[in-house]
Amino acid sequence: MHKTIVVLSALGLLLSASCRQAPDLEQRRREIFALHQDLIQAHLEKDATALAEPTADDYLSVSRGEVHPMSTADVRAMLEPYLAETEFSHYEDVAEPIVGVSDDGSTGWSIVQVRVAGTRTGNDGESRTFDTVWAWLTLYRHDGDGWQRIADVSTNRPFEE
């Protein structure tokens, strides 16, 4: 009798696990694409809080040959002065973003290329123009409540090249 109960319990667990609805991967791709669009809009609106909000507290920024662990608060603190000193004339995709999601829907990524142009006021009070193409890979983790940005790897070059 004891073996029967154990076997039936194990079978019940297997059936309940297999009955869970698989995540809608196309919907998750659309969510990541929307996060990218939100990021562009937040830059244009100079909203450091919106830019930092989907960032996990174990986030990693990879650029210029360095890896920087950053919390959400660190990301916001880094972005606030940058946004205050910058006026954007362009912040737009120059190629269709590539968005993917793992088979289980727990991890996603976007690979994007954007043109960022405008003016930035330096510490000396001088305004300098810039026109740059940025490309980056962003990794996301889905935690049940939504997506969190866990890493960005970025590079840039002048727009003219």
Side-chain angles (χ1 to χ4, degrees), residues 24-36 96-112 136-142 147-148 150:
D24 182 341
L25 300 182
E26 189 54 40
Q27 173 61 31
R28 294 210 174 168
R29 279 187 194 88
R30 286 191 300 270
E31 291 166 358
I32 291 173
F33 182 80
L35 286 171
H36 170 65
E96 184 68 24
I98 299 166
V99 177
V101 178
S102 64
D103 290 343
D104 68 355
S106 66
T107 306
W109 58 90
S110 63
I111 301 170
V112 303
W136 65 82
L137 164 69
T138 302
L139 297 175
Y140 295 92
R141 172 177 58 225
H142 197 276
W147 293 104
Q148 287 194 314
I150 57 174

Side-chain angles (χ1 to χ4, degrees), residues 14-155:
L14 283 172
L15 286 174
S16 69
S18 66
C19 291
R20 284 188 214 142
Q21 186 173 358
D24 182 341
L25 300 182
E26 189 54 40
Q27 173 61 31
R28 294 210 174 168
R29 279 187 194 88
R30 286 191 300 270
E31 291 166 358
I32 291 173
F33 182 80
L35 286 171
H36 170 65
Q37 296 301 310
D38 291 347
L39 176 136
I40 289 175
Q41 192 60 38
H43 272 89
L44 294 170
E45 294 174 1
K46 299 181 168 207
D47 189 344
T49 300
L51 284 168
E53 193 166 297
T55 304
D57 274 330
D58 58 350
Y59 169 78
L60 297 172
S61 173
V62 182
S63 66
R64 298 181 179 153
E66 297 183 18
V67 178
H68 297 278
M70 302 175 81
S71 69
T72 304
D74 294 336
V75 171
R76 186 175 39 255
M78 175 194 65
L79 290 170
E80 286 172 343
Y82 161 71
L83 293 172
E85 299 163 352
T86 306
E87 292 296 326
F88 297 103
S89 59
H90 295 281
Y91 205 116
E92 59 199 7
D93 289 315
V94 295
E96 184 68 24
I98 299 166
V99 177
V101 178
S102 64
D103 290 343
D104 68 355
S106 66
T107 306
W109 58 90
S110 63
I111 301 170
V112 303
Q113 185 180 31
V114 298
R115 178 182 180 195
V116 182
T119 58
R120 185 158 185 211
T121 305
N123 293 336
D124 59 5
E126 292 288 319
S127 289
R128 292 173 182 79
T129 61
F130 62 91
D131 199 346
T132 308
V133 173
W134 281 91
W136 65 82
L137 164 69
T138 302
L139 297 175
Y140 295 92
R141 172 177 58 225
H142 197 276
D143 65 2
D145 293 328
W147 293 104
Q148 287 194 314
R149 187 171 58 235
I150 57 174
D152 284 300
V153 180
S154 64
T155 186

